[in-house]
Amino acid sequence: MGIAIVIAAIIVLLLLITAAKMHPFVALISVSVGVGLAMGMPLIAPSPETPGIIDSIKAGLGNTLGFLAIVLALGTMLGKMMAESGGAERIAKTLINRFGQKRVHWAMMVVAFLVGIPIFFQVGFVLLIPLVFTIAIETGISLVTIGIPLVAGLSVVHGLVPPHPAAMAAVGIFKADVGKTILYSIIVGLPTAIIAGPLFGKWIGSRIHKSVPADIAEQLVQQKEARELPGFGNTLFTILLPVILMLIASVANVTLDQKSEAAKVLRFIGDPIVALLIATVYSFFSLGYARGFTRDAVLKFANDCLGPVANILLVIGAGGAFNKVLLDSGIGNQIAEVAKHSHLSPLLLGWGIAALIRVATGSATVSMMTAAGIVAPIAASIPGTNTELLVLATGAGSLILSHVNDSGFWMIKEYFGMTVKETLMTWTVMETIISVVAFMFVLLLNVVL
């Protein structure tokens, strides 16, 4: 019964988002109410031990956003400081100079992987695409050859590496360790980005040659006023500071006595919220005041960048609400029982469910959140499940087969001046390579660990 309700809920959710064109936030909350009603949950909580439908939705949304709203806000401000100060441009130029023109597509992948850690896919893309255009114009290399490694690097980081929103939310739902997840995501992500980026990019770029679209070139490749860029070391340190702090905390968890003061301090500093807070405040100085920006200017950057985050936050919060209703209604336990007897690996389930929802809705965030909600109780009931790798498997599934129902698909098509067929041959194939290759590496890592 419970499983039939979940399947029906997912179908209704997909129809609301795709056919009815309902906003994912409204669709997820509506479906959450429907699941609660279908499972016979009380409308209003009769006692604290038995949550009502609305209590479940409020608790799920609140618990998810209580953590993520802070992480997202701080991460977005950090990304904005990099963009405005010229830090992203500095990293790109330094790496391109080091790699040389012949290997410039490798440089773009490394740039995207580094710059993508603290910022959203869309922000990173808009930030770095002028560089791709500039290089394509200067070198005459196909836009596809240089552009695919850029979007591959950004996409891998977006889907797999905390503190990205969906990956971070999955860490919370699966109760995984953030530091270990970051470490494993880099081990899995770098070779995946290499295969889907420079290697596939060079191959497909030789078959589809694209020049920079004239109208976009005029707007973006204007000669920027010669401004002094921040130092490479300073910028790189600013981006990697939260990652370094989180990794130190994970090492302290393994090596130090947990009752010692040193362990407590390192765990506190390495908490994602504190690590990002330290890095963001540091960026106000290193990339803001030290670069000659006034306090008013830095405040304006921080204000301006928060608007676009609201939409993402609401969808993630609604995903958390859906997950909580599944758990409180008892469906989670029923699914876990069936899965225990099906002998399917939680890793395969996480990847498969996320992949199905991604193909149907086009949203990596919705698919990762929904899959995590469904698979978490199963994973909890199967001893020995590596929750960190489960985050990565679900993230890999959520990237598969981006097509016409994904806003990212249309963004790539327009910026690269491609037809729908060409976008399917380049972007869609690249996303699918990332999903399948990353999952293969997750399975390999699972064998090793």
Side-chain angles (χ1 to χ4, degrees):
M1 170 69 177
I3 290 160
I5 289 171
V6 168
I7 293 167
I10 291 172
I11 292 167
V12 170
L13 180 64
L14 303 185
L15 289 173
L16 288 176
I17 294 172
T18 53
K21 295 283 179 275
M22 190 179 277
H23 191 283
F25 173 73
V26 182
L28 277 161
I29 297 290
S30 305
V31 168
S32 302
V33 171
V35 168
L37 291 171
M39 281 300 289
M41 283 178 76
L43 299 177
I44 303 294
S47 69
E49 292 76 44
T50 317
I53 296 172
I54 297 305
D55 301 294
S56 266
I57 288 172
K58 286 197 286 199
L61 194 138
N63 293 344
T64 306
L65 292 189
F67 168 64
L68 267 178
I70 305 173
V71 169
L72 265 178
L74 292 171
T76 308
M77 288 181 196
L78 178 57
K80 180 72 170 171
M81 290 310 300
M82 277 186 52
E84 295 292 345
S85 65
E89 198 183 330
R90 159 60 67 217
I91 285 183
K93 285 188 166 166
T94 304
L95 289 175
I96 288 157
N97 291 340
R98 295 268 161 85
F99 279 84
Q101 192 176 320
K102 284 253 172 71
R103 292 185 295 279
V104 76
H105 53 301
W106 286 88
M108 286 320 300
M109 188 275 292
V110 176
V111 167
F113 203 91
L114 287 174
V115 170
I117 288 173
I119 55 183
F120 294 132
F121 177 86
Q122 288 87 342
V123 179
F125 180 78
V126 172
L127 204 69
L128 294 173
I129 196 69
L131 276 163
V132 173
F133 290 154
T134 309
I135 295 162
I137 288 168
E138 285 174 6
T139 61
I141 299 171
S142 168
L143 194 53
V144 175
T145 306
I146 312 166
I148 286 292
L150 171 83
V151 289
L154 288 172
S155 187
V156 165
V157 178
H158 173 78
L160 302 182
V161 185
H164 273 272
M168 207 69 198
V171 165
I173 291 171
F174 289 130
K175 297 185 170 48
D177 178 273
V178 180
K180 277 190 196 166
T181 308
I182 291 175
L183 185 63
Y184 297 161
S185 67
I186 291 167
I187 294 169
V188 167
L190 268 176
T192 302
I194 287 168
I195 293 167
L199 298 182
F200 172 66
K202 194 165 174 62
W203 181 82
I204 194 72
S206 63
R207 285 155 180 78
I208 298 176
H209 193 285
K210 284 281 160 191
S211 303
V212 179
D215 51 338
I216 295 181
E218 280 171 30
Q219 290 174 40
L220 285 174
V221 191
Q222 71 268 52
Q223 292 302 316
K224 286 187 182 164
E225 69 277 15
R227 59 168 174 174
E228 198 186 324
L229 298 176
F232 178 72
N234 174 29
T235 310
L236 192 62
F237 177 72
T238 305
I239 295 177
L240 295 180
L241 181 58
V243 178
I244 293 165
L245 293 174
M246 287 185 230
L247 286 174
I248 288 171
S250 282
V251 172
N253 272 339
V254 179
T255 54
L256 295 179
D257 171 16
Q258 292 310 295
K259 290 183 181 141
S260 68
E261 282 305 310
K264 288 175 190 168
V265 169
L266 289 175
R267 283 218 308 271
F268 174 75
I269 292 172
D271 182 272
I273 289 173
V274 180
L276 269 167
L277 178 63
I278 291 169
T280 304
V281 173
Y282 177 74
S283 76
F284 290 161
F285 288 92
S286 67
L287 301 176
Y289 309 135
R291 308 283 320 130
F293 289 111
T294 62
R295 281 174 299 187
D296 287 339
V298 171
L299 176 64
K300 184 178 184 302
F301 298 153
N303 281 334
D304 289 352
C305 69
L306 290 179
V309 180
N311 191 41
I312 296 164
L313 268 178
L314 286 173
V315 172
I316 290 175
F322 180 54
N323 163 35
K324 186 82 170 103
V325 170
L326 288 180
L327 292 174
D328 286 350
S329 65
I331 291 182
N333 298 334
Q334 291 182 25
I335 298 174
E337 276 306 308
V338 172
K340 263 199 276 193
H341 301 303
S342 74
H343 306 299
L344 269 180
S345 143
L347 293 177
L348 185 61
L349 271 174
W351 183 82
I353 294 170
L356 286 171
I357 298 171
R358 157 68 160 187
V359 172
T361 65
S363 168
T365 305
V366 170
S367 59
M368 195 166 179
M369 291 299 298
T370 311
I374 293 167
V375 177
I378 300 169
S381 69
I382 298 175
T385 305
N386 187 315
T387 49
E388 290 78 26
L389 291 182
L390 194 50
V391 172
L392 302 190
T394 314
S398 76
L399 295 175
I400 204 166
L401 210 74
S402 162
H403 59 101
V404 293
N405 61 3
D406 177 15
S407 58
F409 176 92
W410 298 103
M411 184 167 80
I412 302 296
K413 175 192 174 295
E414 294 305 319
Y415 270 96
F416 285 27
M418 294 191 284
T419 62
V420 168
K421 183 186 171 189
E422 286 168 339
T423 315
L424 287 165
M425 289 167 66
T426 51
W427 163 255
T428 304
V429 172
M430 179 210 80
E431 284 282 83
T432 306
I433 290 171
I434 289 174
S435 179
V436 174
V437 171
F439 185 56
M440 294 300 170
F441 280 122
V442 166
L443 292 178
L444 271 174
L445 200 52
N446 192 44
V447 172
V448 175
L449 296 169

